[in-house]
Structure formats: structure tokens, C-alpha cells
Amino acid sequence: MPESGRTSTKDHIVEGPVVAARRAGLLVTLVLGGLTALPPLSMDMYLPALPEVTESLRSPAATVQLTLTACLAGMALGQLVVGPMSDKWGRRRPLLIGMIVYVAATAVCALAPSAELLIAFRLLQGLAGAAGIVIARAVVRDLYDGVDMARFFSTLMLISGVAPIIAPLIGGQILRITDWRGVFYVLTVIGVLLTVVVWKFLAETLPPERRHAGGVGEALRTMRGLLADRVFTGYMLAGGLAFAALFAYISASPFVVQEIYGASPQTFSLLFGLNSIGLVAVGQINGKLLVGRVSLDKALGCGLSVILLASVALVLMTSGLFGKVGLVPIAAGLFVLMSAMGLAMPNTNAQALMRTPHAAGSASALLGTSSFLIGAIASPLVGIAGEATAVPMAVVQLVCAIAALGCFLTLCRPWRKAQPQDA
């Protein structure tokens, strides 16, 4: 009972889902972690198979890399649609529809006879999988605020961060007993299980009276208003460009590690897992030690600066300025870059969403769409000079890191205490 001794029906409707979801605690964290883990599972489990797909479908590496780009672009565009839908109809219904379509598209990917068909259904897979990404972030915004939200995002990174650690390892082991199509069969089963878990255990967190009744026009106006907020846009671009540096690594590393440096799929999977452990560990340092003691902007600035320094080192090593460099120094540079993402990613999300309690779904959609679109643009650039050099990967990472830090400093202006509607 409230202190006044009176509880309105409206109060029950508004607070009920939020209180119930918070009490669920660990269960909600696991469900949201599973939703945010689905994209890295879809991308990373498939990475060790890229050279095999190239040979199996008799397509050049650049074409096969488009299967990653298509999935990424689908996730970007899908969020732009699903985010406003979740503000209008609630979180559960769009999420369940998206999960069902994801399962169907993934099953078709396993049967694709050509690279072109695989690209098309990877696009559909991404469009549908976007529902999990955008709605998971919106649910967090429904339930938490301020420092609590930043801490939850770091905890979520621990759960979802297991996916990129185990996904390439699973993919490498699947390739021991079957071909690349088996990877998509496993993803189909994972999709089915996650759909059932969401249906049974994830309650609605956006009650009817907090939903937006408008249609596409209102959604577009809401997004235009969000983009007019200079500081929100700064965090959005900084996070998107940092993600593009990460995805440049994801897209290029199978060829860099396996083709240029001669590592096996299992070795590649091990290195990828170590890098993911670094990201998760730094994310937990952020959530458990830094949040509440150090401002989110300081932690974010530190993360972006380390990404920039690691990118500079990778450019110098891959360009031959230090002579012929082996796999170990390159792997060390990539480890530092990946680990610093544990400071950049949760803090950009938290800072941006703190400014948008009135439109969490639309804001989450813009955050996700910008990240995946910029990543989709960066992906094909890493292979522009062919499969014999890692220089394009390092250059793309450096350009993205410089741009991310520049957007953060010029748009967010972290040395100033900006108000939520500061333009």
C-alpha cells in the first residue's frame, strides 16, 4: 500500500508488470540475456564456417561475407520497425512474432542451395531477430533508471557475452561432425527453445496506458524528436561507430586468422572466445566497480580512447612498419580492442536511454539501427583488398574509433552537465 493508504486502479496497472518483473530478477535477466545473445549466436557460430561456405557454394569470399552484411542490415532495419511497434502494442506480441519468423528463416538458411538465396534469408533472419535486440533494451528501460540501468546493462553483457565466447567454439565443433548447414540447424533449435521461454516467462512490461496510440506518422515524429536531441544523437553515433569497429573484427577475423596466419577453425574459435572473455570481464568491472564511483561519461571516454589506441597499434602492425608480425601480436591488439568494448557499449546505451523514458522502444530502435547499419557498411570494406592482407580491417577500425571519439566529444560534450533536453 502507498503511504497515503490509497492505491488507484491505474497505479496497479502501471506498477504491476514492473514490480513483478523486478521480483523475477534472475529469470528476467536470463530471458533478456538470451534475447540479446541471439544476434551474436547467429553471427559468430557461423564464422568458422565462412571458408567452407565459400568453397561449398562456389562463391568468392566477398560474396559470402555479404551473408554477414545481409543479416546485420536486417537487424538494423528490423529494429526501426519493431521498436515503435513495441511502444504501440506492448513488448510481448511483436517479440513473439519476430521469434517465430526468425525460426522459419533460419531453417531455410540451412537448406539454401546458392549464396544468393542464403543472403536473402540471412536478411530475413536479421529482420526477425531484431525483435529480441530492441525489445530487450526497451524492457530494461521499462524496469530501471539511472545507475541501476547502467548496472543492469553490464549484467546483461555478462549473460549475453557468453554467446560470442561459446558460439565459435560450438561452430568449430559442429564442423567436425557435419558441414556448415548443421550450424543453421542448431540455430533453429535454439530459436525454438528461446521462443518457448519468452512465451512462458517474459511478462508484459508496458501497460496499455503508457503505450503510444499513433501510427507510423507519430513514430516518425518521435524518432525525429529523439534525433533532434544533440546529446542523444552523440551517444547513438559513438556507440554505433564503436560497434562498427567491433564488427570489422567479426567480419574479417575468420579470413585474417585462418587464411593469412594459417590457424585452424578450432584455434580461431579459441582466440575469438578469449577476446569475448575480455569484453565480458571489462563489462563486469564497469558494472560492479565503476558505475556509481566513476561517471558514465568518464568510463565511456576511457573505453573509446583505448579502442583508438588499439586500432593505431593494429594499423602499424598489419602495415609492416614493425616488420613481419605473427599471429600473437595481432591477437593481443584485437584482445585489447575487444575488451574496451566492455566500457563503450553498456555506457552508450545507458546514457542514451536515460534521456528517453517517454519512448524507450523508439530510442532503442534508433540505437540498434545506427549500430547495425554502420556495421553493415564497415563489413564489406574489410575485404576490399582481398584475402591476403589484414590492413583494411585495421584501417576501418581506426577510422571508426576516431569518428566515435569525435562524436562523443563534440556532440555529448561530457565536460558539461547537459540537461535531458539540451540541444
Side-chain angles (χ1 to χ4, degrees), residues 16 28 30 64 71 82 94 112 118 139 149 171 179 213 234 254 259 292 297 343 347 361 375 380 386 396:
V28 170
L30 292 174
V64 172
C71 186
V82 176
L118 181 59
V139 168
M149 181 167 57
D179 62 7
E259 301 297 325
D297 278 336
L343 290 175
N347 290 323
V396 169

Side-chain angles (χ1 to χ4, degrees), residues 23-64:
R23 285 176 179 169
L26 179 61
L27 181 58
V28 170
T29 304
L30 292 174
V31 173
L32 296 181
L35 292 173
T36 54
L38 194 59
L41 281 176
S42 301
M43 304 293 287
D44 301 344
M45 194 183 295
Y46 173 65
L47 291 179
L50 281 179
E52 183 180 321
V53 176
T54 301
E55 182 179 350
S56 173
L57 298 181
R58 297 179 181 179
S59 297
T63 300
V64 172

Side-chain angles (χ1 to χ4, degrees), residues 72 96 112 209 257 291 404:
L72 197 64
L96 288 170
E209 65 274 10
V257 174
V291 171

Side-chain angles (χ1 to χ4, degrees), residues 202-223:
L202 186 62
E204 180 59 67
T205 59
L206 187 68
E209 65 274 10
R210 286 171 52 194
R211 298 175 189 175
H212 293 185
V216 175
E218 182 178 337
L220 292 176
R221 284 191 294 273
T222 299
M223 289 185 177

Side-chain angles (χ1 to χ4, degrees), residues 132-372:
I133 311 169
V134 67
I135 291 177
R137 272 197 304 263
V139 168
V140 173
R141 187 62 187 90
D142 291 340
L143 301 179
Y144 298 98
D145 197 4
V147 170
D148 288 337
M149 181 167 57
R151 286 199 177 104
F152 192 90
F153 273 124
S154 292
T155 301
L156 206 58
M157 182 172 285
L158 174 63
I159 306 298
S160 62
V162 172
I165 295 173
I166 66 172
L169 297 174
I170 295 173
Q173 296 308 311
I174 291 173
L175 294 178
R176 285 179 175 272
I177 58 177
T178 183
D179 62 7
W180 62 271
R181 298 180 188 276
V183 173
F184 286 105
Y185 287 125
V186 172
L187 284 172
T188 301
V189 173
I190 292 172
V192 170
L193 294 175
L194 188 55
T195 303
V196 172
V197 169
V198 168
W199 177 65
K200 290 194 67 175
F201 298 112
L202 186 62
E204 180 59 67
T205 59
L206 187 68
E209 65 274 10
R210 286 171 52 194
R211 298 175 189 175
H212 293 185
V216 175
E218 182 178 337
L220 292 176
R221 284 191 294 273
T222 299
M223 289 185 177
R224 186 168 61 246
L226 292 172
L227 292 174
D229 179 353
R230 169 180 51 78
V231 180
F232 172 84
T233 301
Y235 288 123
M236 179 188 74
L237 291 176
L241 288 161
F243 180 83
L246 169 64
F247 196 76
Y249 159 74
I250 292 174
S251 181
S253 59
F255 297 98
V256 170
V257 174
Q258 296 180 78
E259 301 297 325
I260 297 177
Y261 292 98
S264 67
Q266 289 71 38
T267 299
F268 162 74
S269 300
L270 177 61
L271 291 175
F272 196 94
L274 289 174
N275 289 339
S276 300
I277 289 173
L279 186 153
V280 171
V282 173
Q284 293 314 292
I285 292 172
N286 177 70
K288 305 299 184 184
L289 298 179
L290 299 183
V291 171
R293 295 180 175 88
V294 177
S295 76
L296 299 186
D297 278 336
K298 286 183 180 178
L300 173 56
C302 178
L304 293 176
S305 298
V306 173
I307 292 170
L308 176 59
L309 292 174
S311 300
V312 171
L314 286 167
V315 169
L316 295 176
M317 288 188 289
T318 57
S319 62
L321 291 180
F322 295 151
K324 188 175 181 179
V325 176
L327 177 59
V328 173
I330 297 294
L334 291 171
F335 177 82
V336 173
L337 185 145
M338 282 279 284
S339 298
M341 295 292 171
L343 290 175
M345 294 168 65
N347 290 323
T348 50
N349 284 334
Q351 288 286 67
L353 287 172
M354 262 189 248
R355 303 177 66 84
T356 59
H358 58 289
S362 295
S364 178
L366 286 173
L367 289 171
T369 296
S370 62
S371 295
F372 283 93

